[in-house]
Amino acid sequence: MVRAGEDPIPAGSVPGGTGPASFRERFLQGEPVEAGVRTSILNSWRRCRTLGLSPDQSDLPFREDLEPDGRIVRAAAPVLDRLQAMFAGSAMNISVADASGTVLLRRFGEASLARVLPDIQTVPGFVFAEQVAGTNGIGLALAERRPIRVYGAEHFAERSQGSACRALPVRDPLSGRIEGVLCFGYPRSAEDPALDTVIRKAAQTIERRLLGQSSSRERALLQAYLDSGAEAAAGLRHRMAVRELAGEMSPRDRAILMEKAAELIACAQRACVDVPLSDGRRVTLLSRPMTSASGVRGFAVEAVVPGPSPHPGPAPHEPLALPRQVHEPLGPAAEPAGATSLTFSGTVLDAAPGQLHVTLPAEYVPGTEHGPVAVGVERVPAGDGTTDEHSDSPPPARGLMMVGEPHVGTYALAARRRLELLSEAGVRIGTTLDVRSTARELAESAVPQLADFVTIDLPEAVLRGEESADPRIDLRRTVVHGIHDDCPFHPVGKQVAYGPTMPQSRCLASGQAVLEPDLKAAAGWLAQDPEHSAQLLSHVHSLIAVPLVARGAVLGVVGFYRAQDSPAFGDDDRSLAQELAARAALSIDNARRYTRERAMVLALQRSLLPHGVPDQDAVEVAHRYLPAESDVGGDWYDVIPLSGSRIGLFVGDVVGHGMLSAATMGRLRTAARSFAELDFPPDEVLTHLDKLVGRLDREAPGAADAGTIGATCLYAIYDPTTQRCTMARAGHPPPALVRPDGTVWFPDLPAGPPLGLGGLPFEAAELDLPENSRLVLYTDGLIEDRHRDVDVVLDQLRATLTQADGTPDATCEAVLDTVAPAHPCDDIALLVARTHALDPRRIATWDLPADPALVSEVRASATRQLADWGLGEAAFAAELVLSELVTNAIRHGAGPIRVRLLHDRTLICEVSDTSNTAPHLRRAASTDEGGRGLFLVAQLTQSWGTRYTQQGKVIWAECGLEGA
């Protein structure tokens, strides 16, 4: 089974009915399967069920009245013989069926298959139309009228569950009708995407052979026109100087004239049309029916030009050529009939008055099968062939323009295929905003419809999203794509240089496509690199070099190559290649511009994220930031040292993508750090952030139309002295906690609303985290994906964390490798912290009542403890700090009082009491007797501050240990 646009997923029958049922079995049981089955397959299954077909049906209708020498058989038999040789020794089953689904030819890569397979798969004559055989390659290709692939359990019949197939309709190139189906059948294990190219080229060869079978009818129509020429030429006195007329017409006029002629033939009736040209002249087109001696019916179109030609007519023996025909599809009124058109050129000889004489090319032999023949036709005037000098209105000139049957012609078919290629390319190219991917899509669109190999070279600056100052230098091979991989082109990533005379350099200089039908004769091709060029010429022989130009800027160059066994490129191919490259260049330029803008936003995003982890001993931290493929968002993280050896851990996500989200993220992270450093608890920090986001939303330009600026956040504070962690979240996914024994759980934290909604409270939760526990914080981009179920991803995360190495860095790598989506559509911020505990021997605590007499005892106890820690040099500052803080707590606070010393990277002195009165630092006047205590504390310590607890407050001060 396959999902839309995805690779096949084996889904055969389930033995014994155990395990998950296949999609086909679920469909047969009446269950919905729309999400797992391609639309074409599901529609076919529904048609089969409507027809009452049974999957167990093994018999098919058999026809004995096969035409052994029909058109499709004659065209396909040699092609199937070559395919049989190509797949010799394999389990490939190659078949051709007619337009009704009846198999006409069979070939096998391994001859023994014909002896072991059932007759239904080996003998021509069985009917595989969908209405009798169910979903299969031949039947579905006829029903869908396009190339198809059926894989394993996508077959409706039980007998085909172990096989796969590719099928392609074969059309008559002249009429456009489906003449048959070419089908490859093979075991499911032999699935190979390269078969798409093989079956397409084989079907095209069959169509070309069908076209060759139609040439005799066209020559018969031409002979019929020549036989009626004497009567048609009666009374005409002037030659049709078509070459001069064509030389003066604009390409648009020529296209209009030829299109009108094709429409007249398609209408299948006698008609006269007056066609105005852009220069004011008018050309009259006349169509009349004719029938050949063999019964072929068609129409001829002649052009009548009033007045004399502006230039003298050609000499009697001068070659006379009509304009080349390049047709576009006909209008709706004429399209059902179609038109076959021929261009004629040759040498006109003098003839007797009133007669039509034509010199046919030497290769024209009546009754032979060698394709359409081009001839020149000209009317010879009656009398001496001179113009009456006294005539005021010279007779009009007349000449043959087109002859053909009322159905789609060879040139019309080629034009339609070119338009289909451009239409398909418009859908395929530009599906992503990646420069390399867009270039790859251009190459895949051109192979094999236009070229056998495509190379694309882009400057390094374009790949980075910038404009190239000189696209002829620093070109990098960006794409190499072809029908096979053994062609010796320069590899992707290699710097390529082209000499000034090479086609690529000439096209870059001129801005126009350069056609080299024969590379062996191309100027400068062999001189650049004789050895490499000689190797390349053993594989390819024709080249079109096209510059990629968009909005006036040259982005690179694309080379279209044809292999030795393919016809050389022509002018029509050059026009098509230039149009295809022009469309692709716009998509590449869009991708380049997006790459530049994304790089700018990503640079801003990374500049606003932490550039390192602060020095601290509470946790061991590792972090990762993975931007989305399509755009940059507002995910962020932060690690903030707090008082009392505590550590604050942030992770957040601003809704949306782009520059605004990145800028909002920077403002939010700065505010979050400020609130955290004020020692607010997690729930209060989120409350302040909620108010900030609401204010940003109101102050944003065009806030009424821009919508709400939303954000989510999770804030955790870990205290290594107690090994407890306090957390609160605002609309953010809960963290994952990994215990030292490897067990993983997701704590059920209170789910606060996202930031910016306002009015709703946030709640904090407190958890015990033993030493060496891991705290995993992440944004929703890690677990939320439109193609994955959140519960499944969380189970996968749990399993990964259980098996991951205990180090935070290894945990980050394991999570991103196994849990993160391959192509993230949202940013991912990941923060992993492994907890540590402060050694209890580095903590000293004293509880005392609010008695001033005890201050001296506290100083003495602290001095002894510092001596035990080897910090005797810090005793003086510590004594002064503790004396001031304890005295203030006794005078202005409320008992009981607790004193705590922490020996961490710094010496931390803490004095707590049960009041909420905060000390205020002020500068005492010279006449004041007091008020200098906190000033001395600030001078003797690195930092000091106050934090509030549920029981009161803590006044803390940190003393450096550099000299201790």
Side-chain angles (χ1 to χ4, degrees):
M1 292 303 170
V2 296
R3 297 181 184 270
E6 295 182 355
D7 292 331
I9 303 172
S13 301
V14 180
T18 61
S22 70
F23 285 107
R24 188 180 66 91
E25 292 169 337
R26 289 166 53 191
F27 171 81
L28 295 175
Q29 296 170 4
E31 299 180 18
V33 295
E34 287 79 359
V37 182
R38 289 184 289 143
T39 302
S40 58
I41 299 296
L42 183 58
N43 290 339
S44 177
W45 288 355
R46 289 169 175 167
R47 291 192 295 266
C48 295
R49 184 168 59 183
T50 302
L51 292 170
L53 299 180
S54 170
D56 300 326
Q57 180 180 352
S58 58
D59 56 331
L60 293 178
F62 181 79
R63 292 178 52 191
E64 298 181 353
D65 56 340
L66 300 180
E67 187 177 0
D69 195 32
R71 293 183 68 231
I72 187 68
V73 173
R74 295 199 309 272
V79 179
L80 262 65
D81 291 340
R82 292 197 294 270
L83 290 173
Q84 184 178 25
M86 178 187 300
F87 293 108
S90 68
M92 183 66 69
N93 182 346
I94 310 166
S95 59
V96 169
D98 62 14
S100 65
T102 303
V103 176
L104 304 178
L105 294 172
R106 289 278 194 186
R107 296 289 190 275
F108 299 94
E110 187 176 342
S112 60
L113 289 176
R115 297 189 296 270
V116 300
L117 292 176
D119 290 345
I120 196 173
Q121 298 184 27
T122 59
V123 179
F126 285 97
V127 181
F128 281 84
E130 185 186 68
Q131 56 267 33
V132 295
T135 306
N136 69 93
I138 294 174
L140 189 54
L142 289 173
E144 297 283 334
R145 304 183 65 83
R146 61 182 178 87
I148 61 94
R149 178 181 60 172
V150 183
Y151 185 89
E154 290 181 336
H155 290 87
F156 192 74
E158 288 286 350
R159 63 175 179 273
S160 303
Q161 299 297 292
S163 63
C165 64
R166 276 175 166 80
L168 187 68
V170 177
R171 300 177 182 270
D172 185 339
L174 295 178
S175 65
R177 296 188 304 267
I178 294 179
E179 292 289 333
V181 177
L182 174 63
C183 183
F184 290 176
Y186 44 88
R188 288 193 314 180
S189 59
E191 176 67 35
D192 186 354
L195 291 175
D196 283 336
T197 300
V198 177
I199 195 171
R200 284 182 181 275
K201 297 199 75 170
Q204 291 170 1
T205 304
I206 297 175
E207 290 178 348
R208 286 197 298 269
R209 292 180 58 83
L210 285 173
L211 177 63
Q213 296 179 22
S214 302
S215 60
S216 59
R217 300 172 62 87
E218 299 166 351
R219 290 197 298 272
L221 286 176
L222 171 62
Q223 189 64 51
Y225 176 83
L226 298 178
D227 292 340
S228 63
E231 178 183 355
L236 296 181
R237 301 177 58 195
H238 283 77
R239 298 173 181 174
M240 172 64 176
V242 181
R243 187 180 62 177
E244 285 75 13
L245 175 64
E248 295 178 0
M249 284 192 299
S250 67
R252 177 63 178 166
D253 286 341
R254 289 198 298 269
I256 292 176
L257 203 62
M258 305 311 291
E259 182 179 357
K260 291 297 182 183
E263 289 181 1
L264 288 176
I265 295 177
C267 291
Q269 59 185 2
R270 189 186 298 270
C272 175
V273 176
D274 196 18
V275 182
L277 303 181
S278 59
D279 58 1
R281 288 181 295 171
R282 308 181 77 85
V283 175
T284 301
L285 299 182
L286 302 173
S287 69
R288 57 187 180 89
M290 63 183 64
T291 304
S292 70
S294 60
V296 179
R297 297 186 178 185
F299 283 79
V301 177
E302 293 176 320
V304 179
V305 182
S309 176
H311 301 284
H317 296 277
E318 185 177 359
L320 180 66
L322 285 174
R324 181 173 183 178
Q325 303 174 35
V326 181
H327 299 294
E328 298 178 359
L330 304 176
E335 192 170 8
T340 295
S341 59
L342 295 174
T343 297
F344 304 104
S345 61
T347 302
V348 180
L349 303 179
D350 289 335
Q355 296 182 350
L356 178 70
H357 286 253
V358 178
T359 297
L360 296 175
E363 69 269 19
Y364 178 72
V365 180
T368 59
E369 295 285 336
H370 62 265
V373 177
V375 299
V377 181
E378 188 175 67
R379 303 303 184 187
V380 180
D384 59 2
T386 61
T387 303
D388 185 358
E389 297 179 358
H390 303 287
S391 174
D392 295 331
S393 300
R398 173 182 291 188
L400 176 66
M401 283 204 65
M402 196 179 296
V403 62
E405 295 181 83
H407 48 250
V408 178
T410 306
Y411 291 104
L413 175 66
R416 187 174 71 241
R417 285 182 172 172
R418 283 168 167 77
L419 289 177
E420 289 175 352
L421 172 59
L422 291 175
S423 177
E424 180 183 356
V427 176
R428 295 183 60 180
I429 299 176
T431 59
T432 68
L433 288 173
D434 179 74
V435 174
R436 290 179 174 84
S437 298
T438 305
R440 181 78 182 181
E441 291 167 349
L442 165 60
E444 292 174 347
S445 299
V447 177
Q449 292 89 336
L450 174 61
D452 296 319
F453 301 94
V454 173
T455 63
I456 300 177
D457 305 319
L458 301 176
E460 187 68 27
V462 172
L463 295 175
R464 295 195 305 264
E466 305 168 3
E467 288 190 10
S468 176
D470 187 354
R472 289 171 292 184
I473 62 175
D474 197 26
L475 284 172
R476 298 280 176 174
R477 181 56 48 86
T478 306
V479 173
V480 177
H481 182 67
I483 55 177
H484 50 77
D485 299 329
D486 59 352
C487 200
F489 290 106
H490 291 303
V492 172
K494 180 179 176 60
Q495 185 174 6
V496 293
Y498 298 107
T501 60
M502 295 194 68
Q504 287 85 349
S505 294
R506 285 185 280 141
C507 81
L508 288 172
S510 64
Q512 299 294 322
V514 173
L515 169 64
E516 292 292 353
D518 185 4
L519 282 177
K520 294 181 180 179
W525 179 262
L526 291 172
Q528 175 75 13
D529 187 350
E531 182 178 355
H532 179 261
S533 298
Q535 295 177 358
L536 199 57
L537 287 178
S538 64
H539 293 77
V540 298
H541 72 104
S542 190
L543 163 68
I544 300 176
V546 188
L548 293 168
V549 183
R551 302 178 179 94
V554 179
L555 305 175
V557 61
V558 54
F560 300 92
Y561 295 86
R562 279 194 175 164
Q564 292 288 357
D565 56 350
S566 298
F569 284 118
D571 289 331
D572 293 340
D573 299 313
R574 176 174 56 184
S575 301
L576 177 61
Q578 182 143 347
E579 176 66 21
L580 186 63
R583 298 189 181 193
L586 287 174
S587 297
I588 293 176
D589 191 50
N590 289 337
R592 179 192 65 81
R593 291 167 177 259
Y594 169 77
T595 300
R596 181 186 59 188
E597 294 177 1
R598 185 174 185 273
M600 294 171 56
V601 177
L602 187 58
L604 172 64
Q605 167 84 340
R606 293 194 181 278
S607 69
L608 297 175
L609 290 174
H611 291 227
V613 178
D615 295 332
Q616 45 80 37
D617 296 327
V619 292
E620 180 184 350
V621 178
H623 51 81
R624 296 290 188 276
Y625 171 73
L626 186 64
E629 283 193 350
S630 59
D631 205 349
V632 178
D635 291 17
W636 58 283
Y637 57 87
D638 208 348
V639 179
I640 306 171
L642 301 176
S643 64
S645 295
R646 298 172 307 141
I647 195 75
L649 303 175
F650 268 111
V651 67
D653 183 6
V654 176
V655 175
H657 297 85
M659 188 75 73
L660 177 61
S661 294
T664 304
M665 178 274 291
R667 301 172 71 178
L668 193 61
R669 174 179 170 255
T670 301
R673 172 175 281 268
S674 299
F675 295 142
E677 290 177 345
L678 291 175
D679 270 331
F680 291 144
D683 52 341
E684 290 189 27
V685 170
L686 295 183
T687 300
H688 289 295
L689 290 177
D690 179 64
K691 295 178 180 179
L692 172 65
V693 173
R695 184 169 66 253
L696 293 177
D697 185 45
R698 292 190 300 270
E699 295 175 353
D705 301 325
T708 301
I709 299 176
T712 65
C713 183
L714 188 149
Y715 181 37
I717 297 178
Y718 172 70
D719 188 345
T721 64
T722 63
Q723 301 180 39
R724 297 186 66 81
C725 183
T726 305
M727 291 181 281
R729 63 186 180 119
H732 202 83
L737 299 178
V738 187
R739 294 187 178 94
D741 60 1
T743 58
V744 180
W745 91 101
F746 297 92
D748 187 16
L749 300 180
L755 301 176
L757 296 183
L760 298 177
F762 298 96
E763 298 181 33
E766 195 170 78
L767 302 173
D768 290 321
L769 292 184
E771 188 173 10
N772 290 324
S773 298
R774 279 172 289 164
L775 179 60
V776 182
L777 311 180
Y778 52 86
T779 56
D780 56 1
L782 178 68
I783 61 172
E784 294 183 7
D785 183 23
R786 68 185 66 180
H787 304 297
R788 304 186 299 171
D789 184 81
V790 173
D791 293 334
V792 174
V793 178
L794 289 177
D795 290 340
Q796 188 178 9
L797 177 60
R798 185 193 305 272
T800 301
L801 293 176
T802 301
Q803 301 172 3
D805 188 356
T807 65
D809 197 73
T811 302
C812 286
E813 291 296 329
V815 170
L816 291 184
D817 290 342
T818 59
V819 182
H823 304 282
C825 57
D826 194 8
D827 290 22
I828 297 175
L830 178 64
L831 183 66
V832 178
R834 184 168 64 177
T835 63
H836 297 305
L838 187 62
D839 190 341
R841 292 172 297 179
R842 287 174 169 258
I843 304 173
T845 305
W846 300 277
D847 293 319
L848 61 153
D851 184 358
L854 298 178
V855 174
S856 60
E857 296 182 10
V858 171
R859 289 200 303 266
S861 300
T863 301
R864 288 191 297 272
Q865 183 63 63
L866 292 177
D868 293 340
W869 287 341
L871 304 177
E873 295 185 7
F876 176 74
E879 285 184 30
L880 290 178
V881 169
L882 286 176
S883 178
E884 178 62 28
L885 296 183
V886 172
T887 300
N888 281 344
I890 293 174
R891 287 181 178 180
H892 308 290
I897 297 173
R898 169 170 288 190
V899 178
R900 189 170 70 160
L901 293 181
L902 303 178
H903 180 194
D904 197 10
R905 290 175 177 263
T906 60
L907 177 62
I908 304 172
C909 304
E910 295 183 347
V911 177
S912 60
D913 62 71
T914 58
S915 73
N916 291 323
T917 303
H920 176 64
L921 176 64
R922 65 184 183 88
R923 294 185 179 274
S926 59
T927 58
D928 291 344
E929 296 182 0
R932 295 177 178 85
L934 289 180
F935 179 77
L936 292 175
V937 171
Q939 295 298 313
L940 292 173
T941 61
Q942 293 180 347
S943 60
W944 73 280
T946 304
R947 69 173 181 268
Y948 293 93
T949 65
Q950 294 180 349
Q951 294 79 24
K953 69 175 183 297
V954 176
I955 304 175
W956 57 269
E958 292 187 8
C959 301
L961 299 179
E962 291 80 4

